[in-house]
Structures are given as C-alpha cells and as structure tokens.
Amino acid sequence: SVPFLIRLFPSLLTKFVYLNFLAFPFFVDFRRPELLVNNTISLHLTTEPGVTVGIWHTVPGSRGAEAQGKDQRWYEEALADAHPVIIYLHGNGGTR
C-alpha cells in the first residue's frame, strides 16, 4: 500500500524524506535564537525573487562583549568586516 500512496500523493514522499515539518527540540521558538545561543540573531536573506533563506548569525565569544545589546544592523555590518565567516549547513532534515 505504501507505493500506491506515494504514487497517489507524491508530496508525502518529500515530507518524509526531508522531515521539514518537525521542529526539534519541541516547544522551542527558533525565531528567537538569542534565547538559545548567546550573541545570535535571526536574519532572512533573499537569494532570488520569491526565495528567502533564514539564517542565524552568531558572533564568536571573543566579540561577545561588543555584541551585547546591539541591533540587527550591527550584526549585518559584522558580516562585512575582515573576520572569517563559517557557514554551517545542517542537512536536509531538522531545523536551524
């Protein structure tokens, strides 16, 4: 019956392969990363028309004192300075 259901409803296959409907750990608001990780802000980048990618920008602990109380503009400017940027891609399942 599983192949029949997948043939009938192909969107089910993508849901169970990518598991993008799960948010783990449960009952955590991922839109507010500053409650989970110090010196972190949630940003959204528009890569092309109609496509928006959500990211978290976390500054290292050495810049933690400098980041205290700063707004989104400061974090955006910190991305453009001479410090290296590490991009972590979590894979096809889960959430940020």
Side-chain angles (χ1 to χ4, degrees), residues 41-45 53-57 72 75-76 79 96:
I41 192 169
S42 184
L43 301 172
H44 293 87
L45 303 175
V53 177
I55 65 165
W56 284 359
H57 178 211
Q72 180 175 337
Y75 281 87
E76 290 172 355
L79 283 171
R96 289 183 275 167

Side-chain angles (χ1 to χ4, degrees), residues 57 59-60 63 66 74-85:
H57 178 211
V59 295
R63 296 185 73 187
E66 182 184 356
W74 182 88
Y75 281 87
E76 290 172 355
E77 290 173 357
L79 283 171
D81 63 13
H83 293 86
V85 174

Side-chain angles (χ1 to χ4, degrees), residues 2 4-21:
V2 173
F4 177 72
L5 288 174
I6 291 173
R7 180 75 172 147
L8 198 58
F9 305 104
S11 62
L12 285 178
L13 180 62
T14 59
K15 293 283 186 200
F16 288 106
V17 168
Y18 296 113
L19 300 175
N20 56 0
F21 58 91

